[in-house]
Every structure is written in C-alpha cells, then in structure tokens.
Amino acid sequence: MERIEKDLYDAAVQLIETRYPTGWGGAAAVRTRSGKILTSVAPDVKNDALSLCMEVGAYLEAHKLNEAVTHSLCICRENENGDFLVLSPCGICQERLVHWGGDVKAAISNENNELIFKTIRELMPHHWSLVNGNTL
C-alpha cells in the first residue's frame, strides 16, 4: 500500500472517530497535488433530496484552494465496533473527479475490503467525452 493511500485512509478514520464517536460514521479524504489532505463528511439533512456525498466538501475545498485533486477516498462503518468499509465513488462523484483528469485515483469497494485505488480512466473507460475527441 502506498503511503499516500494509507495517509488518506488514516485521515478519514480519524475524522469518523472524532465526528461520529458512536453509531454510524462516514468520511472522505482527498489529496491535492501539493500534498494537502482535505477531509469532509456528508451534511445532515432533513430532506434526502438535499443530501450530498461525503466527498463533496473536500472537492469544494480543493476548488477554493485552486488545487488539483490527485486521490479520493470514502469510507464508512455501521457502528463504533464495525469495520471501516471502502466505498467506490458514485457516478456523480466520478464525474466531479473528471474535472482534474483521468489520472485521479479513487479508492474502490472490493470483496476483501482491501485498500485499492483505480484511476478515473479505469473506472470510466467509455466516458461520454470520447465523442468530443477528448480522452480522460
């Protein structure tokens, strides 16, 4: 496992343990080109139509800082005694990551809950931008 990947995982775990000491918890961590690690959680909402993914806060922070995202990770646990599970980015978050190019790496879910990262290009080999002559 690469150091970057482990650092992202540890940052997300630390945020979950701090923000959600008991019960369910989820958090995201992203790394920018300059090496910053930004973390975020999904906002609590009363209407599910207003919900956002856990990663969005960190993506917006990267935009605010004018920094490119190089890695993205999202994890959750069912309760304070549960294992941390890696969550692949949803299709919308994959599209958000396309902003920074096809080489951005995202942690993905897998049967053994291993910490595996794939590039957005690998996750979206048939991206719609191909019709415009673009490649991720």
Side-chain angles (χ1 to χ4, degrees):
M1 173 184 331
E2 287 186 38
R3 183 79 219 157
I4 291 169
E5 297 168 354
K6 177 76 168 105
D7 289 347
L8 283 176
Y9 184 86
D10 291 345
V13 166
Q14 182 179 18
L15 178 54
I16 291 170
E17 290 175 343
T18 301
R19 175 70 173 78
Y20 305 102
T22 60
W24 180 92
V30 304
R31 182 180 185 271
T32 66
R33 188 162 288 127
S34 72
K36 286 185 178 81
I37 293 180
L38 309 171
T39 60
S40 59
V41 297
D44 294 328
V45 295
K46 296 197 185 303
N47 179 338
D48 284 344
L50 302 174
S51 66
L52 291 170
C53 298
M54 290 180 254
E55 305 98 305
V56 174
Y59 296 165
L60 292 173
E61 184 73 8
H63 275 288
K64 181 184 91 177
L65 297 172
N66 198 26
E67 297 229 12
V69 169
T70 62
H71 294 75
S72 182
L73 167 135
C74 192
I75 61 172
C76 73
R77 63 155 200 235
E78 287 300 316
N79 59 55
E80 64 274 14
N81 299 312
D83 293 333
F84 290 100
L85 304 173
V86 177
L87 304 173
S88 295
C90 72
I92 294 171
C93 283
Q94 289 181 43
E95 284 291 341
R96 291 176 176 133
L97 290 170
V98 165
H99 172 75
W100 293 290
D103 292 329
V104 175
K105 293 183 177 182
I108 59 164
S109 305
N110 60 79
E111 292 174 356
N112 298 321
N113 198 37
E114 299 168 299
L115 192 54
I116 297 172
F117 282 71
K118 298 281 184 181
T119 66
I120 291 300
R121 187 175 295 110
E122 290 174 297
L123 295 178
M124 302 175 77
H126 306 286
H127 189 261
W128 60 267
S129 65
L130 294 172
V131 299
N132 299 327
N134 298 329
T135 58
L136 287 180

